[in-house]
Amino acid sequence: MTTVTPLNPPRRTLLGPGPSDVPASVSRAMSAPTLGHLDPAFLAIMDEIRAMLRAVLLTDNEWTMPMSGTGSAGMETCMVNLIEPGDDVLIGSHGVFGGRMAEVARRCGANVVVAEGPWGRALDPELLRAAAGGKSFKLVAIVHAETSTGVLQDLAPFRAIADECDALLLADMVTSVAGHRVALDEWGVDAMYSGTQKCLSCPPGLAPVSFSPRAVEVFTKRKTPVQSWYLDLNLLGGYWGEQRAYHHTAPINMLYGLHEALRLVLEEGLEARWARHARHAAMLVEGLAELDLEPIVPADERLTPLTAVRIPDGIDDAAVRRHLLQHFDVEIGGGLGPMKGQAWRIGLMGEGSSERNVALCLAGLKSALAEQRGA
Ligand SMILES: *Cc1c(COP(=O)(O)O)cnc(C)c1O
């Protein structure tokens, strides 16, 4: 084999749907010496991570911890532990991630009822209520922040539906955690998952999850073993809980990164961080208007960490994104599914939500559009 030179990736500004830019102190934390996964010094770090996660999620849930794997591993963790074959599951879907939840639930052997709503709008709770048809369900699942379309979903009506169906409420909070207000206990969320790579501004690789006492009772009293050995919370509880028994080797240095990322969130303050995301999203939308670009989602249903922008007629989606990358080192996202070629997705997540990045993104778009429009 020929000599391979040490890797030297270009420095980009990540303004897509994730991953987001990582603060230097998080990268530094990840390069600290690797400890053994049962070293008392590491166990103390784990305890701090769990305490900080509870503080960020506004919950007292004992079962709050990061899973090894990205956001999708968090999704899979919730599904495989809460569902037994033959269970009835009701899922609201109005984007890619609602669809993915339905697929994962089906693979767990659930009878899945999906209430489909239009992409780019909040899901009408009445669609779910109608799909429920007065039956009971094991689980009602909904995406809190649909990153594929830029929609924020108020969870209160879905808690009410879950109560009517005698079900647990599961929420995908991958993009909302540390960007939007998230209050698990106040909202009555029984199970949730997130990811490190969005508003927590830590590299992809961990998925924080949290379970209410009711949800814990469901997976500790299962009749059948969890079909995934790796994601089985009953086994993992032995490592993250009192016993400290080996299950799989924790990704030590990733957890260092999460420790620092959570510390930064709490140092900034939750309210201040949510407000910062809101401020910069508003600034972005104002600037977009000056370029004759408009957001797809109505203002009161819009996410602040991610803005979906309608691509004007006659503009080449891929060429604009290439221009941003080549001339500005800026990454933004394209549309997914039915929004492919129709939307850009601009992420101002965590560390990336700054006035500088708004200005940079707008300058890049202005330049790219000028090139397209032959100016
Ligand atoms: C990113 C994302 C996921 C999946 O996370 P990965 O880290 O890509 O596995 C799931 N749900 C939502 C809403 C997301 O934004």
Side-chain angles (χ1 to χ4, degrees), residues 40 113-114 177 230-231 248 318 325 358:
V113 176
V114 180
V177 168
Y230 194 73
L231 302 176
H248 68 270
L325 198 64
V358 172

Side-chain angles (χ1 to χ4, degrees), residues 174-218:
V174 174
T175 288
S176 45
V177 168
H180 272 283
R181 182 163 192 270
V182 158
L184 295 194
D185 292 358
E186 180 189 323
W187 296 350
V189 174
D190 291 302
M192 65 72 69
Y193 57 90
S194 189
T196 44
Q197 51 140 324
K198 314 243 167 143
C199 296
L200 286 167
S201 281
C202 186
L206 291 171
V209 294
S210 186
F211 299 91
S212 72
R214 277 206 304 180
V216 172
E217 195 169 312
V218 165

Side-chain angles (χ1 to χ4, degrees), residues 9 42 78 86 133 152-153 217 250 293:
F42 185 67
C78 292
L152 179 70
Q153 194 75 45
E217 195 169 312
L293 295 172

Side-chain angles (χ1 to χ4, degrees), residues 52-53 72 117 128 287 291 302 350 358:
M52 287 193 286
L53 269 178
S72 304
L128 236 77
L291 301 175
R302 211 180 283 156
V358 172

Side-chain angles (χ1 to χ4, degrees), residues 327-347:
H327 299 284
F328 292 81
D329 276 309
V330 166
E331 177 183 279
I332 65 168
L336 294 177
M339 287 187 162
K340 191 170 160 57
Q342 313 282 307
W344 291 310
R345 291 181 301 148
I346 301 175

Side-chain angles (χ1 to χ4, degrees), residues 17-18 69-75 97 100 143-148 172-176 193-198 204-206 345 349:
T70 65
S72 304
M75 181 189 295
F97 296 105
R100 188 177 295 180
V143 178
H144 182 225
E146 184 45 270
T147 324
S148 64
D172 175 324
M173 297 180 151
V174 174
T175 288
S176 45
Y193 57 90
S194 189
T196 44
Q197 51 140 324
K198 314 243 167 143
L206 291 171
R345 291 181 301 148
M349 298 183 172

Side-chain angles (χ1 to χ4, degrees), residues 3 7 11 19 49 63 66 71 100 112 120 134 151 167 173-174 187 248-249 262 281 303 317 321 342:
T3 313
L7 74 113
R11 182 164 285 281
I49 290 174
W63 283 75
R100 188 177 295 180
V112 180
V151 168
M173 297 180 151
V174 174
W187 296 350
H248 68 270
T249 309
L262 290 167
L303 288 176
D317 167 25
R321 284 188 284 129
Q342 313 282 307

